[in-house]
Amino acid sequence: MDKTVKIGVIGLGYVGLPLSIAFANKFKVYGYDVSSERIESLSRGESHIVDIKDEEVKRVLKKTFYPTKDKKDLVSCDFLIICVPTPLDKKKKPDLSYIKDATRMISSILRENHFVILESTTYPGTTEEVVIPLLEKSSLKVGRDFRVAFSPERVDPGNKKYRIENTPKVVGGYDSESTEIAFSLYSTIVEAGVIKVKDCRTAEAIKIFENIFRGVNIALVNEIALIFEKMGIDTWEAINAASTKPFGFMPFYPGPGIGGHCIPLDPYYLSYKARQVGYNPRFIELSGELNDYMKVHAVNLVTRGLKAVGKRLFDSKIAVMGLAYKRDIDDTRESPTEGIIEELVNQGSHVKVYDPFAKSIKTDFGVFKSEKTLSDALSGVDCAIFVTDHTEFKKIDMQKFKETMNSPVVVDCKNIFDRNRMEGFGYYGIGKPLLD
């Protein structure tokens, strides 16, 4: 791949910024985003995500990396890579508005020999059925005037072991030549190897399959946890023991629901497309429903704990510990904490929150800002529910906070605490045998 190649990355979030920095180590990169605040902070060398340090931005800033809000800066780029969100609407149907907006913007500046790559997670067929028709409104023709490919992002926020460089990449183009060119491009930054597949549709299917695989297995272990709780069996102990089998078993763990940008959404993306081709995906949809239910179950455990000390949700003070959707990051996208807070508030609880990474979380009842310290969060509450297993939480000695809480009730959604060390507490947990 020629070192004079210019790359434009549209969307500088959890996917687009790491990708921009990785490419900026090899090529000139224009990072485009509609957020003025984001562009201004990056232009100062300040990263807005945990995985990219300020020093990484400053090292390439104005040398090979140029944050911009001006689409004209993308005209001279050879490759334009779309990394925008693909959420669900209120009816849990795919919301492709961000992809469509980005594609329309590209269409307005599209020229001959442009190569457009979609990385956003979506259902099979999006590139061919949505992206290409919008691009062709420019009067240019795919395969003749410009090229298109799909390469699913595999960014795992907070994962210090696997980054873009050492995570294998999948590419599938509109035609074989497009696949080869995309393969050559990504091979310059992905040391772990680039896998070529038949076409865009296949590449889209691979990404959605990866995430649904996780979602379905998490749903399975969540249902096992619900059963084992009633049977007096510690699900976590059972999983750890089962994991000693060297074949035929892969551990997944229960929790208060799933978060992040992909796993909670992808079952609904595929089910939407499956219905279009005449198939009712009962198993996949059931897994999504079961994972959604775990937020309700977490609140039910709070209710049970409060009842044991003669209280109820209404008018009780609850500390919700953990806003991020997973450990040691600040990403609150699709976090189960949001639904848990909303259910608690809806039932009349007074909620305060704490997270050592995320500063706040947006809910239907407004924005909840994190307390400054653990002590501030736990002081005077009737129950503390731990939703995220941050490393800081694992180090807490809850006995130190017992006297400052109105009633010592703890709901542990992620197996953070050892029940044997919770003497004097009403201790309830997902996958833990019920006390009553």
Side-chain angles (χ1 to χ4, degrees), residues 5 21 45 49 110 144 147 156 173 183 185 196 202 211 219 231 257 260 284 299 312 339 343 387 419 431:
V5 160
I21 300 303
I49 64 174
L110 195 67
R144 183 191 69 190
R147 297 190 180 279
D156 184 17
F183 171 84
L185 174 68
K196 293 179 282 188
T202 305
N211 291 331
M231 297 176 68
I284 292 173
V299 174
R312 54 180 180 159
E343 183 63 22
V387 184
R419 171 169 267 167

Side-chain angles (χ1 to χ4, degrees), residues 281-298:
R282 292 171 296 171
F283 185 66
I284 292 173
E285 287 193 342
L286 180 60
S287 71
E289 292 170 9
L290 209 155
N291 286 329
D292 282 344
Y293 169 74
M294 295 307 292
K295 289 174 280 193
V296 176
H297 180 59

Side-chain angles (χ1 to χ4, degrees), residues 154-197:
R154 280 178 165 174
V155 173
D156 184 17
N159 193 323
K160 294 180 173 57
K161 181 178 180 181
Y162 290 107
R163 295 169 63 93
I164 288 174
E165 294 81 1
N166 65 343
T167 302
K169 198 86 165 79
V170 172
V171 295
Y174 171 77
D175 52 29
S176 59
E177 189 170 352
S178 298
T179 300
E180 291 296 336
I181 295 171
F183 171 84
S184 297
L185 174 68
Y186 284 106
S187 293
T188 62
I189 62 169
V190 181
E191 301 165 1
V194 180
I195 297 92
K196 293 179 282 188
V197 297

Side-chain angles (χ1 to χ4, degrees), residues 84 96-105 130 134:
V84 296
L96 300 184
S97 60
Y98 295 94
I99 289 180
K100 290 177 180 178
D101 288 346
T103 306
R104 289 190 188 102
M105 182 275 293
V130 178
L134 287 174

Side-chain angles (χ1 to χ4, degrees), residues 339-391:
I340 289 171
I341 291 172
E342 289 171 352
E343 183 63 22
L344 289 170
V345 174
N346 191 50
Q347 296 200 39
S349 300
H350 305 286
V351 174
K352 53 181 175 177
V353 303
Y354 175 73
D355 192 294
F357 296 92
K359 295 179 181 179
S360 64
I361 191 167
K362 186 177 180 181
T363 76
D364 287 346
F365 294 97
V367 176
F368 284 73
K369 295 183 179 180
S370 174
E371 300 288 329
K372 292 183 179 180
T373 66
L374 274 168
S375 297
D376 291 339
L378 294 173
S379 177
V381 299
D382 299 297
C383 174
I385 174 171
F386 287 81
V387 184
T388 315
D389 56 340
H390 289 308
T391 299

Side-chain angles (χ1 to χ4, degrees), residues 118-415:
L118 178 61
E119 284 216 6
S120 304
T121 304
T122 185
Y123 58 76
T126 301
T127 305
E128 295 176 10
E129 299 164 10
V130 178
V131 173
I132 290 176
L134 287 174
L135 292 175
E136 289 188 327
K137 287 188 175 182
S138 64
S139 298
L140 298 177
K141 182 70 176 176
V142 67
R144 183 191 69 190
D145 304 312
F146 66 93
R147 297 190 180 279
V148 170
F150 183 84
S151 182
E153 60 88 2
R154 280 178 165 174
V155 173
D156 184 17
N159 193 323
K160 294 180 173 57
K161 181 178 180 181
Y162 290 107
R163 295 169 63 93
I164 288 174
E165 294 81 1
N166 65 343
T167 302
K169 198 86 165 79
V170 172
V171 295
Y174 171 77
D175 52 29
S176 59
E177 189 170 352
S178 298
T179 300
E180 291 296 336
I181 295 171
F183 171 84
S184 297
L185 174 68
Y186 284 106
S187 293
T188 62
I189 62 169
V190 181
E191 301 165 1
V194 180
I195 297 92
K196 293 179 282 188
V197 297
K198 180 182 178 182
D199 50 28
C200 299
R201 189 178 296 259
T202 305
E204 290 163 337
I206 288 165
K207 173 60 190 238
I208 215 159
F209 178 41
E210 292 171 358
N211 291 331
I212 289 175
F213 172 82
R214 286 187 54 78
V216 165
N217 279 280
I218 292 170
L220 170 63
V221 78
N222 277 332
E223 186 162 62
I224 291 290
L226 294 174
I227 297 169
F228 282 4
E229 284 175 20
K230 293 180 178 295
M231 297 176 68
I233 298 169
D234 189 319
T235 307
W236 300 87
E237 182 180 6
I239 293 170
N240 290 335
S243 298
T244 61
K245 185 179 180 181
F247 55 88
F249 183 83
M250 181 183 296
F252 288 84
Y253 300 94
I258 49 181
H261 183 60
C262 291
I263 298 176
L265 311 180
D266 287 1
Y268 299 101
Y269 266 75
L270 187 59
S271 64
Y272 168 82
K273 192 63 180 178
R275 281 193 164 80
Q276 287 189 340
V277 298
Y279 184 81
N280 182 19
R282 292 171 296 171
F283 185 66
I284 292 173
E285 287 193 342
L286 180 60
S287 71
E289 292 170 9
L290 209 155
N291 286 329
D292 282 344
Y293 169 74
M294 295 307 292
K295 289 174 280 193
V296 176
H297 180 59
V299 174
N300 288 343
L301 289 176
V302 175
T303 302
R304 182 183 287 266
L306 289 172
K307 183 179 180 181
V309 293
K311 298 182 179 181
R312 54 180 180 159
L313 281 178
F314 182 78
D315 211 31
S316 285
K317 298 175 182 178
I318 313 294
V320 178
M321 310 297 287
L323 305 180
Y325 80 88
K326 73 172 188 173
R327 179 192 311 159
D328 295 348
I329 64 172
D330 63 352
D331 190 349
T332 62
R333 292 176 299 172
E334 306 297 328
S335 173
T337 302
E338 178 184 339
I340 289 171
I341 291 172
E342 289 171 352
E343 183 63 22
L344 289 170
V345 174
N346 191 50
Q347 296 200 39
S349 300
H350 305 286
V351 174
K352 53 181 175 177
V353 303
Y354 175 73
D355 192 294
F357 296 92
K359 295 179 181 179
S360 64
I361 191 167
K362 186 177 180 181
T363 76
D364 287 346
F365 294 97
V367 176
F368 284 73
K369 295 183 179 180
S370 174
E371 300 288 329
K372 292 183 179 180
T373 66
L374 274 168
S375 297
D376 291 339
L378 294 173
S379 177
V381 299
D382 299 297
C383 174
I385 174 171
F386 287 81
V387 184
T388 315
D389 56 340
H390 289 308
T391 299
E392 179 178 317
F393 294 166
K394 291 176 176 289
K395 297 176 181 178
I396 298 175
D397 181 357
M398 286 302 297
Q399 296 296 333
K400 294 180 179 179
F401 296 99
K402 188 163 60 175
E403 299 303 321
T404 66
M405 296 174 67
N406 283 344
S407 53
V409 177
V410 169
V411 173
D412 183 357
C413 297
K414 299 290 288 185
N415 195 37

